Every structure is written in C-alpha cells, then in structure tokens.
C-alpha cells in the first residue's frame, strides 16, 4: 500500500487506496532532528480531455477511505519516529 522513494524533495512514502493518496515527508528541525509531516489526502481524477489532476475535494463515500489513510499515515509516522529514536541511541 506504500511506495518508498528517496529522491530529494519527494515524499518518503505515499499511501494509496484507490483514487486517494496521502504523502509522508521527512523534514529536519533547525537543531538537526528529524520530524515528519503529511499532505492532505488527495483524490486523483481525469478531466474531459483525459488529463489527470488531483484535488482535496472528496465525496461523502470517500470520507471513511480518507480516515483510514490518515490512520495508516499516523501509524507509519510513529514507526519512523521510533526508528529514528532507536538509531539516535546507538
């Protein structure tokens, strides 16, 4: 359900469920400590010309799906924070 990337200025993970996705970004504080942020859940759609776009507008039936993605993102961020903490102790 996630795709790992390591490119600069790219999210480290994208969690997807159907047309919806959320991205997790790794940042660094002024003191050099890592922290994580997420994008809002986005929905992909195709316009009448066949071009793909993204929006944060969701239908009522997609709200539970978005809630699930936020919960998964929360769990992922907690795991990343724990891994960072363990690595800093070594």
């Amino acid at each position: 359900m996630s795709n790992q990337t390591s490119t600069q200025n790219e999210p480290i993970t994208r969690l997807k469920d159907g047309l919806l996705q959320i991205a997790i970004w790794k940042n660094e504080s002024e003191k050099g400590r890592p922290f994580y942020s997420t994008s809002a859940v986005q929905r992909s759609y195709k316009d009448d010309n066949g071009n793909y776009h993204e929006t944060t507008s969701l239908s009522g039936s997609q709200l539970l799906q978005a809630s699930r993605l936020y919960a998964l993102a929360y769990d992922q961020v907690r795991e990343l924070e724990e891994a960072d903490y363990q690595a800093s102790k070594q």
Side-chain angles (χ1 to χ4, degrees):
M1 184 165 244
S2 66
N3 299 324
Q4 297 287 334
T5 63
S6 60
T7 305
Q8 194 84 0
N9 297 323
E10 288 289 323
I12 60 167
T13 300
R14 291 183 196 270
L15 303 173
K16 297 180 180 184
D17 187 359
L19 298 175
L20 303 185
Q21 74 172 338
I22 189 170
I24 300 174
W25 302 81
K26 185 173 185 178
N27 303 286
E28 196 170 286
S29 73
E30 291 177 5
K31 295 182 180 183
R33 300 176 80 189
F35 68 95
Y36 298 88
S37 61
T38 66
S39 65
V41 169
Q42 295 183 331
R43 176 178 53 89
S44 297
Y45 69 95
K46 192 188 292 189
D47 66 19
D48 293 338
N49 296 323
N51 299 313
Y52 282 96
H53 302 278
E54 293 182 338
T55 181
T56 56
S57 177
L58 306 175
S59 69
S61 64
Q62 292 171 324
L63 294 174
L64 185 58
Q65 196 178 8
S67 172
R68 183 173 178 267
L69 281 175
Y70 279 118
L72 289 171
Y74 174 82
D75 291 342
Q76 180 86 34
V77 166
R78 296 297 292 151
E79 289 175 15
L80 291 165
E81 289 172 337
E82 179 63 24
D84 288 341
Y85 174 73
Q86 293 299 329
S88 73
K89 290 176 35 177
Q90 296 179 1

